[in-house]
Amino acid sequence: MDVRSAVEKIIGDRVVDAVSQPGGYSPGTADRVLTANGRRAFVKAASPAQNPDTPDMHRAEARITAALPGYAPTPRLLGCHDDGHWVALVLSDVDGRHPVTPWQAEELDAVLGALERMATALTPSPVAEVPVIADRLADEFAGWRRVVDDPPPELNPWARTHLDQLCSWSDHGLASLTGDTLCHVDVRADNLLVDRAGRVAVVDWPWAARGPAWLDTAMLLLDVRLQGGHDTEALLRRLPLTAAVDPDVVTGLYAGLAGFFTDRARLPPPPGIPTLRAFQHAQAEVLLTWLAERTGS
């Protein structure tokens, strides 16, 4: 059975229109589809020809999304086609758009509120077969040690003079990321949809892991910082999920992420994702500036 026929079988009707959706960093197709009887769905599909890792990411997302409770602010999985080559996810369609960036205050408040409700809804984790976040991020948070062993010529000057501290902060951050909330782990504007009523849906779940309830909010604030226009330190201090978190733990999280992005940004781009390394470099630079401010060093 070809992919189109499999998708139509899952939806239960013939697809008559498909509109490709831009954005994101996963190669493959991503389409909002309409059937002959007016039913709508969202379909994403990939094979190893686009990127060798993406089919496994889709398999993980299908498994996780299928287990998400109906009250979570996420699309529902209608079905998955997997022929060993192509993997296609068919999800409920969210009639929304990505938040405007730089972030507008009203939309940012709506998303932050949705993340707070999502953390409550997903604690304890409703999905048993996901890793704990410390295991998920262990290799990523070792990025500074790889940089120490082989520093790139263009290494950020502040990072070059603080490598020992960055390694130590990353280790502390990783050890402190404990909890039993199902975390998305990749929350940013292009993984969020806002509908006309202002309701927020969190999409794309392949990296989910069990961790602290505040993690996704802290991850979103990196995207806010990258886009500019808001005082992210003030947000950390006032938001219910992050206000009580030990500042050293948040510093450790951001240090570990900065090491991951710095280490990965110097690699050749992965197949089908030519813009990823530039995006990782931009995130690293924003985080390093933020860390210098947070630590006063």
Side-chain angles (χ1 to χ4, degrees):
M1 181 181 296
D2 63 31
V3 177
R4 184 187 182 98
S5 298
V7 166
E8 290 179 334
K9 184 176 181 180
I10 291 169
I11 299 175
D13 196 10
R14 178 170 56 90
V15 172
V16 297
D17 189 34
V19 179
S20 180
Q21 302 301 295
Y25 290 90
S26 294
T29 66
D31 301 276
R32 295 180 68 185
V33 304
L34 175 68
T35 73
N37 289 330
R39 188 175 184 187
R40 295 186 180 275
F42 176 73
V43 179
K44 58 193 299 186
S47 76
Q50 288 79 48
N51 179 280
D53 299 323
T54 302
D56 281 341
M57 290 173 57
H58 281 8
R59 292 181 180 104
E61 182 177 356
R63 178 174 51 79
I64 293 163
T65 306
L68 291 172
Y71 50 80
T74 64
R76 307 275 77 77
L77 181 71
L78 305 179
C80 177
H81 165 74
D82 186 349
D83 59 20
H85 184 69
W86 279 95
V87 181
L89 277 66
V90 184
L91 300 145
S92 58
D93 183 50
V94 177
D95 187 12
R97 55 167 177 78
H98 298 307
V100 174
T101 54
W103 283 82
Q104 298 178 350
E106 184 176 350
E107 286 190 349
L108 179 57
D109 286 345
V111 169
L112 290 168
L115 293 182
E116 184 178 352
R117 293 189 296 276
M118 186 173 79
T120 299
L122 299 182
T123 306
S125 172
V127 185
E129 298 302 317
V130 293
V132 297
I133 192 63
D135 291 342
R136 168 73 81 194
L137 296 180
D139 183 66
E140 283 86 342
F141 274 42
W144 286 121
R145 301 196 184 281
R146 290 188 288 271
V147 170
V148 168
D149 292 339
D150 181 22
E154 69 281 6
L155 181 60
N156 177 283
W158 182 85
R160 188 179 294 277
T161 60
H162 291 79
L163 286 174
D164 288 345
Q165 294 100 312
L166 286 163
C167 289
S168 177
W169 293 333
S170 299
D171 291 346
H172 178 65
L174 186 66
S176 303
L177 294 178
T178 58
D180 192 27
T181 299
L182 183 68
C183 302
H184 180 280
V185 192
D186 196 23
V187 178
R188 56 179 192 259
D190 62 327
N191 284 335
L192 297 161
L193 293 171
V194 182
D195 70 12
R196 294 177 184 177
R199 294 182 295 254
V200 176
V202 185
V203 303
D204 294 343
W205 284 79
W207 305 115
R210 287 183 289 123
W214 54 269
L215 179 67
D216 284 336
T217 295
M219 298 288 276
L220 176 73
L221 292 183
L222 165 57
D223 190 60
V224 174
R225 182 88 174 194
L226 179 65
Q227 303 294 342
H230 295 272
D231 186 340
T232 48
E233 275 296 323
L235 286 168
L236 280 170
R237 291 192 297 269
R238 78 168 175 82
L239 293 173
L241 287 177
T242 57
V245 180
D246 182 347
D248 289 343
V249 172
V250 178
T251 295
L253 169 68
Y254 290 147
L257 292 173
F260 166 66
F261 292 132
T262 299
D263 183 41
R264 291 296 177 89
R266 58 182 171 167
L267 301 177
I273 321 177
T275 60
L276 180 61
R277 300 309 184 203
F279 180 59
Q280 289 173 331
H281 175 74
Q283 291 181 104
E285 291 300 306
V286 163
L287 280 166
L288 289 169
T289 300
W290 194 359
L291 286 164
E293 295 174 8
R294 285 184 64 82
T295 61
S297 57

